Amino acid sequence: MLVPRESFDAKKARTADIIRRLKAAYPDAHCELNFRTPLELLIATILSAQSTDKQVNIVTANLFGKY
């Protein structure tokens, strides 16, 4: 049985509902990674899969400063 595709407006509404629920469930959530740009966040996130956030912050301080 094929499920019909979700419309763009339905996706937007579902996404907004998910974000609202996450904010209600985790009102004080914040990112432990240090970053200034979306690219830095992407790099730090990739590195954090291999190490702890604390260690990533130590490494990326030098990495982002150099590059």
Side-chain angles (χ1 to χ4, degrees), residues 15-49:
T15 301
D17 183 52
I18 291 168
I19 291 170
R20 181 187 55 76
R21 289 176 182 220
L22 286 170
K23 285 182 177 181
Y26 305 101
D28 299 322
H30 65 281
C31 181
E32 293 291 332
L33 298 170
N34 297 332
F35 65 96
R36 292 171 296 195
T37 67
L39 179 59
E40 288 183 359
L41 176 58
L42 174 64
I43 293 166
T45 301
I46 291 168
L47 292 173
S48 72

Side-chain angles (χ1 to χ4, degrees), residues 1-2 4-7 9-11 14 18 21 25-26 29 32 35-38 43-44 50 57 59-61 67:
M1 180 172 142
L2 292 174
R5 287 192 130 175
E6 187 176 28
S7 71
D9 288 337
K11 284 181 185 180
R14 187 167 52 90
I18 291 168
R21 289 176 182 220
Y26 305 101
E32 293 291 332
F35 65 96
R36 292 171 296 195
T37 67
I43 293 166
Q50 304 299 318
N57 286 335
V59 170
T60 56
Y67 301 102

